[in-house]
Amino acid sequence: MAKENQFVEQIADIETDFPQWYTDVVLKTKLVDYGPVKGTMVIRPYGYAIWENIQRELDGRFKKQGVQNAYFPLLIPMSFFTKEAEHVEGFAPEVAVVTHAGGEKLAEPLAIRPTSETIIGTMMAKWIQSYRDLPMKVNQWCNVMRWEKTTRPFLRTSEFLWQEGHTAHATAEEAEAETLTMLGVYKEFVENCLAIPVITGKKTEKERFAGAVATYTMEAMMHDGKSLQSGTSHYMGQNFAKAFDIQYLGNEGSLQHAYTTSWGVSTRLIGAVIMTHGDERGLVLPPVVAPTQCVIVPIAARKGGVIEACEALKAQLEEAGIRVTLDASDNSPGWKFNEWEMKGVPLRIELGPRDIEAGKMLLARRDTLEKSEAALENAAASVKEMLVEIQKNMLEKARAHRDNRIVYADDMAGILAAVEKGNFVKAGWCGCRACEDKVKEETAATSRVIVEGESKETCAVCGKPAKNVIIYARAY
Ligand code: ZN
């Protein structure tokens, strides 16, 4: 059957060559193209429309948390980075630096932001005077640059789009609570809007953000069993407040350092959507963020009344707030089915003379490939209901796929065998860096997240008493 489908033949087999499948899908569905500078990507309109939907959903959630948007400059004086020792060390290898401008060598080199803690910290120090100015919660939607040697569209590129939230608080408790609240906001968004189940928790010290006291992550399992870090939330303690002098006058009259947080998600989430839900036919997009939620394909389009009926249906669906496309091009219906399937449109409606006469339409779901009939009367209600059902089913399917691939291991051989099969491995850990490093050296798996609420007696690497249970996995 696959041989009859010209589109399927263009995409590498998802089971045997997942990396090539990914490349084929992102290029052929016109999500991205390669930029002229190595390691850069051009996000094309179809990909950018997904990002806009992600932005809209997230931005509303941030505002409900009392976060306000602002914009900080792209260029940051290099001296800012040296103020926080761990931060500068962590980011030094990835920072791109501007040394010349206006035909002259600059007195001080300027970093192109890899992240904005330093400049936002500097501004917060100026804006925060008393306890009345706290908490301060700002977010910016922007691009950042981190020089990368090996790159893949959406997953790792030297320039990418993201949001970075930065908050300052009077107490450690409040800042820690904010860190976890925003992690919770991310988790709810990713599960309900992107239909991707995530495991949230703390990173080990080794995997922690440079300069943070604690880093929390959400890890998602991709189709091939590898992990994708899909967002992080950091508790900075007073590290940045001390380095940048963010001080406030307390209500009892003494000067104190604030406690800060930062949290971010990026266009990497689009990569997560592609690699979680995609199948042998191409993309499968969750309805909440799909640029087109529903495509109408006319059957026997030249027969009288067909296009008119399709246009009326389109108007009815648009009226109900559904993102709908009518494909009235002169390609054959079969060609259109394949193209829209490859582009991952959640629902296809087929409408021909016989359907119109019977007052019906044919619905074809992208997630299950099932077809069903529905009345043209109340079409919008049927379509909306179906989109909700698709969204829900995609999350359940992804959760079942992941849960089937979470296994336990008690020794290094067990960890290796499990990660080779594309599993997440839960194993006891003594808390020492050497054991974490050894797992990476011998299995190419890294510690993804510390599992909450589970315990093991011994470390799978050294056999000493375990402090935590860790998820080890190979990762993007
Ligand atoms: Zn150990």
Side-chain angles (χ1 to χ4, degrees), residues 18 155 186-187 190-191 194-201 203 217-231 268-269 271-277 395 398-399 401-403 405-406 422-424 448-449 471 473-476:
F18 191 59
L155 304 177
Y186 285 155
K187 183 181 165 84
V190 169
E191 296 198 340
L194 306 185
I196 300 174
V198 287
I199 298 170
T200 53
K203 284 278 188 193
T217 180
M218 54 178 178
E219 301 287 322
M221 183 187 280
M222 302 296 103
H223 180 83
D224 60 353
K226 282 195 194 172
S227 189
L228 185 79
Q229 180 178 301
S230 308
R268 196 164 219 235
L269 287 175
V273 167
I274 299 163
M275 293 197 297
T276 300
H277 302 300
L395 176 62
R399 198 187 296 281
H401 171 261
R402 182 198 67 186
D403 290 351
R405 287 178 173 227
I406 299 179
N423 292 304
F424 278 13
R448 306 312 307 162
V449 58
I471 289 183
R474 290 181 182 159
Y476 283 96

Side-chain angles (χ1 to χ4, degrees), residues 428-432 434-436 458-465:
W429 178 49
C430 61
C432 108
C435 289
E436 217 180 331
T458 56
C459 172
V461 181
C462 68
K464 287 181 190 154

